[in-house]
């Protein structure tokens, strides 16, 4: 296995093939990799931030990964926000519910859809936030909340879905 600086250099090289291979190998560096990737999240280069999120998604350090992925949902780049939401689909964590719920209103439709997918994968714990979004969210957020509630296939979601059907919008 390559050393951490070599893997970080490959991850940020601009060569997608090298970066993908490096992302897979970074898991062997544990906490040190997590710290290095956290630093990359502050890069001015969108591609570097995207690859940092992509690599974080590979790590098995739930609390630290979730915290960083939630922060990446606020990135100025829609591509980074999409990647963070997709990563949270692979790390469904109830701690991410508030940030994912906010992302349902993202101006980027793909980021909003991926956030809804992540909320669905979190499961019934996301139900209260989705119901609240259905009642008070933006039109986009409401639409994604309906989609997530339907996908949850959880009987307590039915009253909220029926109430939504009765609204003119």
């Amino acid at each position: 296995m390559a050393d951490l600086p070599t893997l970080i250099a490959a991850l940020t090289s601009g060569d997608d093939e090298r970066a993908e291979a490096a992302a897979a190998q970074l898991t062997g560096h544990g906490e040190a990799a997590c710290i290095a990737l956290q630093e990359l999240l502050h890069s001015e280069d969108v591609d570097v931030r995207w690859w940092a999120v992509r690599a974080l998604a590979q790590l098995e350090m739930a609390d630290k990964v979730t915290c960083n992925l939630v922060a990446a949902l606020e990135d100025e780049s829609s591509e980074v926000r999409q990647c963070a939401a997709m990563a949270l689909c692979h790390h469904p964590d109830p701690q991410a519910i508030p940030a994912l719920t906010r992302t349902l209103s993202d101006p980027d439709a793909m980021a909003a859809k991926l956030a809804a997918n992540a909320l669905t994968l979190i499961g019934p714990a996301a139900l209260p936030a989705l119901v609240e979004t259905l009642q008070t969210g933006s039109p986009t957020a409401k639409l994604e909340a309906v989609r997530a509630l339907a996908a949850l296939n959880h009987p307590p979601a039915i009253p909220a879905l029926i109430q939504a059907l009765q609204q003119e919008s």
Side-chain angles (χ1 to χ4, degrees):
M1 174 171 43
D3 66 352
L4 185 59
T6 301
L7 292 173
I8 294 297
L11 189 74
T12 59
S13 69
D15 179 336
D16 289 349
E17 208 169 288
R18 284 182 62 210
E20 189 63 45
Q25 291 181 43
L26 280 166
T27 60
H29 288 278
E31 177 116 12
C34 188
I35 292 167
L37 293 169
Q38 285 174 328
E39 291 174 16
L40 294 179
L41 290 174
H42 302 289
S43 172
E44 291 183 20
D45 186 333
V46 172
D47 195 49
V48 169
R49 294 194 312 272
W50 189 94
W51 277 106
V53 171
R54 166 68 184 87
L56 279 165
Q58 298 276 122
L59 299 180
E60 296 297 328
M61 305 169 75
D63 288 342
K64 293 179 182 184
V65 169
T66 298
C67 179
N68 287 298
L69 296 177
V70 163
L73 286 173
E74 303 291 329
D75 196 275
E76 64 187 35
S77 164
S78 61
E79 291 88 357
V80 174
R81 295 193 308 273
Q82 290 171 12
C83 188
M86 176 63 86
L88 285 163
C89 288
H90 296 286
H91 292 277
D93 186 335
Q95 293 179 38
I97 291 172
L100 287 165
T101 303
R102 285 189 304 274
T103 306
L104 295 177
S105 295
D106 197 287
D108 181 79
M110 181 58 76
K113 284 184 188 345
L114 290 168
N117 291 349
L119 287 163
T120 300
L121 291 166
I122 289 170
L127 183 66
L130 288 166
V131 169
E132 182 180 335
T133 300
L134 192 55
Q135 295 167 348
T136 62
S138 69
T140 301
K142 286 180 181 183
L143 180 63
E144 292 303 330
V146 165
R147 197 171 66 73
L149 285 167
L152 271 176
N153 197 23
H154 191 58
I158 294 171
L161 290 168
I162 290 172
Q163 185 179 13
L165 284 172
Q166 296 170 349
Q167 295 176 3
E168 288 184 30
S169 65

